[in-house]
Structure formats: structure tokens, C-alpha cells
Amino acid sequence: MSENGLDPSGSPTADREVRISRYIDAPRELVFRAFTEVAHLSRWWGPEGFTTTTRSFEFRVGGVWDFVMHGPDGTDYREWITWRDIVPAERIALLHGESPDDPDAFESVLVFEPEGAGTRIDFRTVFPTRELRDRAVEEYHAVEGGEQTLAHLAAYVTALAATELAATDLSAADVPAGPRDQLVRVHNFSVSLDGFGTGDGQCLEEPFGHAGHRLLEWALPTRTFQDMGFHGEQQASVGVDEAFASRWNTGIGVEIMGRNKFAPSRGPWADEEWRGWWGDNPPFHTPVVVLTHHPRPTLQMAGGNSFHFLDADPAAALDYARDLAGGLDVRIGGGASTIRQFLEADLIDEMHLVVVPILLGRGERLWDRLEGLDQRFRIEATTSPSGVIHLSFWRHRARAPRTTSGG
């Protein structure tokens, strides 16, 4: 028996275990970070040919990683992990299945041990039954897949270690390395050619007013939107539009939205029966802060969703949201007036807008009172075969001043 494979140890669960071990030439703390920060995790997770789209991520005991794995043959696999135990830089215990109620979910324990200048990672999985273990090994090639996954981790972390080592020797003209900022981001927000983010006459029957679904026609066929429940007749797209759409939830810990994105009404709540447009399990899977002049009790829903109703200006709302985000980024979800207010307050770091080739003439405009916005951001435009233009905005970062030593 090789080092990796079925557990030969004679432990009480040995007949339903798989154990995989690998040495990684990188410090233990860095290996642990790559396994526990979603910005890293989604870039290496999975066997050969697989990619990962994160739907939500919260790394804490009881937190959940909800994600989709895309197989090389185009098959999508819904995956769900909850963290059972965490000892920073030393140990992780988790439960892994297709959903929270999956009867075939299995438990895994990862141990990170220093070994010389590197790290030995031991990945032990216990299945509910021997039959499930054997099926995973024989039909789904669990051992080979696990070895490939840890090989991807090793390659990724080795490159990451080299990058971070180089960052410690920056010239004075470069920005010194430091902790990653908690960013404020906008994703997948569509505007018409004349700058409207929604049409006139929003109501229960017409959530986007007279614009209908025209502002979203580029997004509805993408795999990301279909995973959220927007099912079309055609096969899910994986091209340019999907590449932009898929970033909407990666690394996001909370969303801030305006009242009208949550409900089709204004003013005092007639009652508190309205629970949003998205059914019992909304697609956010994070806390959501709803800006309203008429706060109401927090609404807890399935899938890790919670809606917090807050009467606050953008700066105060952002402070409140950051406390809920668990160190992850904050997404400003819209509508147009909410995004405009955060832009006016200069609180947005990154923004993805989609210019849709239609003219609406009336509705809620995004661009009012934002003269000089282009001076704050670098902007790139990417055209799509669907006819839309993806605009990427990211904030200019000042460089440190050059010293007289020439270093």
C-alpha cells in the first residue's frame, strides 16, 4: 500500500477511511492561509480539469463554504462544507456533502505539521459506511482526486511563497506589502446607454419597471445566474459574460442594498410579511444590510441569509456591514441610487458595470452628480459577443515616495 490511500492503521474507522499526505515546500502559516481564505482557495481546489465557483464562504466554526465544482465534461456539482473545528495553522475538521441534509456527507480532518522549512499536510477522510468509502475510491477515484488536489495546493502555495518573498524586497517606489484591505465592490450592475439602472414604474408586477428584463438579458444565460435559479432554455454560457458574472460572490462577506432592491414599496411597512424577491433561500448566503428609513427586526432565512434593516448614511452603513463581513469584502448591490450615494461618498474600491445597448429614457439614473469620477479610478472596457460592454473600475493607489538613497 502506498503512503496515500486506504487507511491500514487498524483504528475503529479504518475500514471506511481514506488518508492522503503530502509535503509542501512552504511555511505552515502560508499553507493554512491558502486553505482558509477564499481568495486563494477557489484558485487551486479540485482535481485535474475542475474549476470552482464560490457562492458563499465564511471560515469559522459553524461557517459554511457553499460552492459549485465544474467538471471537465461540463457537469456541475453542488458542494457544501461546514467547518467543525479550527485550530489556526494546525488543524481543520469539516463536514463535506452536497447540501446540509446530505445523508452521505463525510467528515475530514486536515493536520498541518512543520517539516523542515516546509509543511506536511495530512488529509484524513471518514465516510459514513465502508460501502460509501469503496464507491468513492472505485467510482469517483477519491485517492487520485485527493492527490491531484493537494498537488494543486502545493504548486499554488509554492508560487505564492515565492511571490511573497519577492514582496519583502520591494523598491521604495513600490507599495509596501501588508494585510489585504477589506474592499467595497460592485458587481454585475447593468445600465442603459443613457445611464439608467432600472426603468420607471417599479412595482410588484414589474420589479425593473418599464425596462423589464432587458438590462439583464446578457446575464440570464450565464452559468452563474442559472445556478442562482434563473433558468433559461439554452445551455448555460461560460464565455466572456460568465467570466465577469462569476466574480459576484467570491470573497464577499456581506451585501448592502437599497430598500427598493428588497421590496416593491416605500414608506412605513404595511406589515412585515414581505421577505424579499428571492424565495425562502435567497442567493446571497451572507448577511444583507437593507438601507431604509423604516427599520424592522432582523429577518433570518435559510442558507445563511439574514437581512438587517438600517437607517444610516453610507459611511455608517459601511461600518455596520464590515462588522458582519467576517473580514471579507462588502458588496454594494444596488439599486442605482444606492450605488450613486456610495460613489458620492467615495467609498467604492472596485466596480463592475455592464453597459447594455438599449435606451430607457426614464427611470433611476446612476451617473447624476458624479462629475470627475473617472479621475478616481482606472477603467477598462471589455466587449462581449452578447452586445454589452463590461466596464471595470478600480481605485488608483498612491505609490510610496522614492527615497534619496535610490533604494
Side-chain angles (χ1 to χ4, degrees):
M1 182 70 66
S2 67
E3 178 185 10
N4 293 332
L6 308 187
D7 186 1
S9 67
S11 71
T13 58
D15 65 341
R16 47 193 178 94
E17 291 186 18
V18 170
R19 176 168 290 179
I20 300 168
S21 180
R22 185 180 180 98
Y23 173 80
I24 299 177
D25 188 18
R28 179 169 67 166
E29 291 74 14
L30 188 60
V31 177
F32 190 84
R33 276 177 48 205
F35 212 107
T36 59
E37 295 181 9
V38 71
H40 298 306
L41 188 56
S42 295
R43 299 182 65 180
W44 62 263
W45 179 270
E48 293 290 345
F50 282 77
T51 58
T52 300
T53 297
T54 293
R55 298 165 64 88
S56 67
F57 183 89
E58 186 177 12
F59 187 70
R60 61 172 178 82
V61 175
V64 167
W65 182 23
D66 183 8
F67 60 105
V68 180
M69 294 189 68
H70 311 295
D73 62 354
T75 303
D76 287 346
Y77 303 89
R78 286 294 307 272
E79 303 287 338
W80 180 91
I81 285 175
T82 186
W83 316 104
R84 291 279 187 84
D85 185 45
I86 299 169
V87 180
E90 295 182 12
R91 183 179 185 273
I92 302 170
L94 59 89
L95 181 70
H96 186 166
E98 294 181 357
S99 64
D101 55 357
D102 183 358
D104 297 336
F106 49 85
E107 298 178 349
S108 294
V109 175
L110 296 97
V111 178
F112 304 79
E113 291 284 354
E115 187 171 311
T119 305
R120 171 69 58 179
I121 182 169
D122 184 66
F123 197 156
R124 175 172 165 265
T125 296
V126 181
F127 292 85
T129 66
R130 179 173 181 171
E131 291 72 24
L132 286 171
R133 191 277 307 268
D134 292 346
R135 183 183 178 194
V137 170
E138 295 165 9
E139 294 186 30
Y140 298 106
H141 309 289
V143 175
E144 296 89 338
E147 289 176 335
Q148 291 169 7
T149 298
L150 290 190
H152 291 164
L153 171 62
Y156 178 80
V157 173
T158 300
L160 186 63
T163 300
E164 294 202 351
L165 180 63
T168 64
D169 192 30
L170 293 171
S171 72
D174 290 324
V175 179
R180 182 186 181 279
D181 292 334
Q182 192 178 17
L183 300 178
V184 181
R185 296 158 40 189
V186 173
H187 286 279
N188 300 336
F189 191 79
S190 300
V191 295
S192 64
L193 289 174
D194 47 351
F196 291 94
T198 191
D200 190 27
Q202 287 181 280
C203 61
L204 180 62
E205 295 75 21
E206 295 291 346
F208 300 99
H210 80 290
H213 286 94
R214 288 181 291 166
L215 287 170
L216 284 178
E217 285 179 356
W218 71 271
L220 297 179
T222 63
R223 176 157 39 191
T224 292
F225 274 71
Q226 292 203 11
D227 284 346
M228 287 191 284
F230 298 91
H231 300 293
E233 296 180 0
Q234 70 270 49
Q235 182 178 356
S237 68
V238 293
V240 173
D241 293 333
E242 166 61 15
F244 280 94
S246 65
R247 295 190 60 241
W248 83 287
N249 215 23
T250 300
I252 294 293
V254 65
E255 168 159 327
I256 299 174
M257 66 172 61
R259 161 76 177 263
N260 252 37
K261 183 172 177 179
F262 178 78
S265 60
R266 298 181 184 273
W269 301 94
D271 56 57
E272 295 178 2
E273 295 301 314
W274 179 260
R275 298 166 64 87
W277 304 93
W278 307 279
D280 293 332
N281 189 358
F284 309 103
H285 306 299
T286 66
V288 176
V289 177
V290 180
L291 299 180
T292 173
H293 294 305
H294 303 277
R296 51 184 268 193
T298 296
L299 174 62
Q300 300 286 349
M301 299 185 70
N305 293 281
S306 60
F307 291 85
H308 306 252
F309 301 88
L310 186 68
D311 184 6
D313 61 28
L318 183 56
D319 286 341
Y320 182 89
R322 280 179 164 144
D323 287 340
L324 297 173
L328 298 177
D329 291 348
V330 178
R331 181 178 57 239
I332 309 301
S337 62
T338 299
I339 294 175
R340 185 174 63 247
Q341 290 167 30
F342 276 81
L343 286 170
E344 287 179 315
D346 197 20
L347 295 174
I348 290 177
D349 300 297
E350 297 180 2
M351 182 165 61
H352 165 229
L353 301 182
V354 186
V355 180
V356 181
I358 61 173
L359 292 168
L360 292 180
R362 53 197 168 95
E364 185 71 41
R365 275 180 52 83
L366 175 65
W367 296 126
D368 293 343
R369 304 186 304 278
L370 293 175
E371 180 180 355
L373 180 73
D374 54 304
Q375 302 301 311
R376 289 190 246 154
F377 293 92
R378 296 177 61 189
I379 306 172
E380 282 189 2
T382 303
T383 59
S384 167
S386 66
V388 303
I389 300 173
H390 296 275
L391 295 179
S392 299
F393 296 69
W394 66 101
R395 183 182 293 278
H396 284 294
R397 300 290 183 183
R399 292 180 177 270
R402 185 176 296 276
T403 65
T404 57
S405 65

